[in-house]
Amino acid sequence: MEKSLVRPDLIKEDAQDIALRPRALNEFLGQQAMKDNLNVFITAAKQRGDSLDHLFLIGPAGLGKTTMAQIVANEMQGGFVQTTAPALDKPKDLVGFLTNLKKGDVFFIDEIHSLKPAIEELLYIAMEDYGIDWVVGQGPMARTIRIAIKPFTLVGATTKAGVVSSPLISRFGITCRFSFYEQEDLKKIVHRSAGLLNIKIDEEAASLLAKSSRGTPRVVNQLLKRMRDFAQFSGEDSISVQVVRTGLARLEIDELGLEKQDREILKIIIERYKGGPVGADNLAITIGESVETLEDYYEPYLIQAGLLQRTPRGRVVTSLTYGHLGIEPLEGQLF
Ligand code: ADP
């Protein structure tokens, strides 16, 4: 198993992390435009006594999709039922969930891009008509019966909107796209989490942590807990910027939140492919990861940080990359 403190998909959350989850819309920091819209849709649905329209959440891991789904359930005063698409193996697995839903429940399906076609078909009718078409009997005696289910809100989340089928997308009434968090918002998350965990942290230390957390709340919380360990170990009762600097250096995380493997990817593009372009397949083989891992977990943040570009001819690094790694560009290199 790979280990990483900054790849959100590899961070294991414990009971403390669950305690850090915002429970209401006004505790959810950042993503202001999305929150404002959701607030309107939630308030209007509540006034009408309806369940909220089905909601599609798109964005990289650790940005708050599950948290937002739970918040929607809380705000709508409904229950929260959660699963992931890979766990829905047979149609009966989905039917089990659907028939147990109560009116107004939020049914959260994570990684919805990987639903099997037969399950997706069942979901269409559930989403549109609050029903399930179920075949009973066999051979010539087989017939389809319609089972009614309670009005519910499906919240589907994905890191890969590009591979979700258009019939499924079209059945969601509301779509929210999560972007990486601004540093100011991450800093607020650091202070909120520190307060809940009873940790003291300086302003400057919080800023540095926010900067090194890849725009991702799950990462900021994880690094905060590790910095608490470093502070405690050296007998300090508050996390200072010095503790964060030393802590990050010991974890080999730089001030942009890159780990060794991120820097390795950039170095390989520079050293083996003269800064690019290099195709994703070749690059993945060279770094020993799958194309999927490269595209889903490494590239989004490197692109966001301005260190990598996806072009039609392949991946290229930027002038920022050379500056960040302290490598001189080749003579005459254009960006
Ligand atoms: P995703 O489902 O997108 O992978 P999660 O909802 O599991 O992300 O969020 C990861 C963690 O980050 C949560 O445990 C939560 O504590 C924290 N978090 C996410 N978004 C926010 C936010 N906007 N404000 C405060 N904390 C957040």
Side-chain angles (χ1 to χ4, degrees):
M1 180 68 184
E2 296 168 80
K3 278 200 111 89
S4 167
L5 281 173
V6 294
R7 250 185 65 187
D9 59 308
L10 294 181
I11 296 174
K12 275 257 156 288
E13 294 197 339
D14 58 20
Q16 259 184 355
D17 293 296
I18 292 172
L20 295 180
R21 290 206 158 166
R23 314 249 165 236
L25 212 47
N26 62 8
E27 288 174 24
F28 190 94
L29 302 163
Q31 314 285 347
Q32 194 59 45
M34 176 197 302
K35 272 187 321 195
D36 289 346
N37 286 337
L38 278 175
N39 187 30
V40 172
F41 303 143
I42 289 172
T43 311
K46 265 164 70 176
Q47 280 169 357
R48 292 191 303 265
D50 287 347
S51 49
L52 185 71
D53 227 336
H54 303 303
L55 176 64
F56 188 34
L57 304 179
I58 304 169
L63 295 195
K65 299 182 295 299
T66 312
T67 306
M68 187 53 94
Q70 282 173 331
I71 289 176
V72 167
N74 292 345
E75 297 282 350
M76 293 299 297
Q77 282 140 16
F80 183 71
V81 179
Q82 166 175 28
T83 188
T84 69
L88 299 171
D89 190 34
K90 304 246 160 52
K92 72 171 171 31
D93 299 331
L94 177 64
V95 172
F97 277 110
L98 292 174
T99 49
N100 281 314
L101 291 174
K102 292 187 282 304
K103 183 173 186 289
D105 277 358
V106 163
F107 180 35
F108 177 64
I109 306 185
D110 204 2
E111 300 179 54
I112 199 152
H113 55 266
S114 50
L115 276 182
K116 294 187 169 162
I119 304 222
E120 205 173 301
E121 296 270 334
L122 264 180
L123 203 55
Y124 295 160
I125 302 162
M127 290 170 82
E128 272 180 350
D129 299 335
Y130 299 127
I132 304 167
D133 281 344
W134 194 244
V135 181
V136 286
Q138 280 180 346
M141 301 297 284
R143 64 200 166 89
T144 306
I145 53 165
R146 172 69 58 106
I147 304 169
I149 52 178
K150 306 273 174 0
F152 70 104
T153 299
L154 180 76
V155 180
T158 182
T159 49
K160 301 181 198 237
V163 296
V164 179
S165 76
S166 27
L168 181 57
I169 292 179
S170 68
R171 285 169 170 89
F172 287 101
I174 309 169
T175 297
C176 293
R177 274 178 200 277
F178 286 71
S179 17
F180 286 109
Y181 286 66
E182 304 286 334
Q183 268 178 44
E184 272 314 300
D185 292 329
L186 281 176
K187 207 171 143 188
K188 287 184 197 148
I189 295 176
V190 172
H191 283 304
R192 175 179 178 274
S193 300
L196 290 170
L197 295 173
N198 231 342
I199 303 173
K200 282 194 227 134
I201 180 160
D202 301 358
E203 252 339 270
E204 220 188 319
S207 296
L208 183 54
L209 259 194
K211 191 171 167 210
S212 317
S213 296
R214 305 170 79 101
T216 306
R218 186 180 294 153
V219 176
V220 101
N221 285 341
Q222 177 72 7
L223 291 183
L224 175 66
K225 289 195 291 174
R226 296 294 70 81
M227 296 308 132
R228 169 179 63 182
D229 294 339
F230 282 116
Q232 191 185 323
F233 191 75
S234 39
E236 296 183 38
D237 65 353
S238 170
I239 300 174
S240 63
V241 70
Q242 198 43 49
V243 166
V244 178
R245 273 204 198 103
T246 322
L248 291 176
R250 286 183 62 171
L251 298 171
E252 297 186 84
I253 297 168
D254 65 32
E255 76 277 10
L256 287 185
L258 305 194
E259 276 183 324
K260 227 166 152 185
Q261 180 71 334
D262 301 289
R263 291 189 291 270
E264 207 52 42
I265 293 171
L266 299 172
K267 267 194 208 151
I268 282 174
I269 303 178
I270 292 175
E271 287 165 3
R272 297 226 196 148
Y273 301 97
K274 300 195 171 106
V278 48
D281 292 336
N282 274 341
L283 184 58
I285 292 170
T286 324
I287 62 167
E289 298 274 7
S290 69
V291 178
E292 220 181 21
T293 304
L294 174 71
E295 290 186 339
D296 292 352
Y297 299 116
Y298 288 106
E299 289 188 346
Y301 178 69
L302 293 175
I303 293 170
Q304 153 80 16
L307 299 168
L308 186 73
Q309 283 174 347
R310 277 184 191 160
T311 72
R313 287 163 55 232
R315 277 55 174 166
V316 289
V317 296
T318 69
S319 56
L320 278 182
T321 321
Y322 287 91
H324 184 66
L325 297 178
I327 300 176
E328 279 294 312
L330 295 173
E331 211 168 306
Q333 191 146 19
L334 294 177
F335 294 105

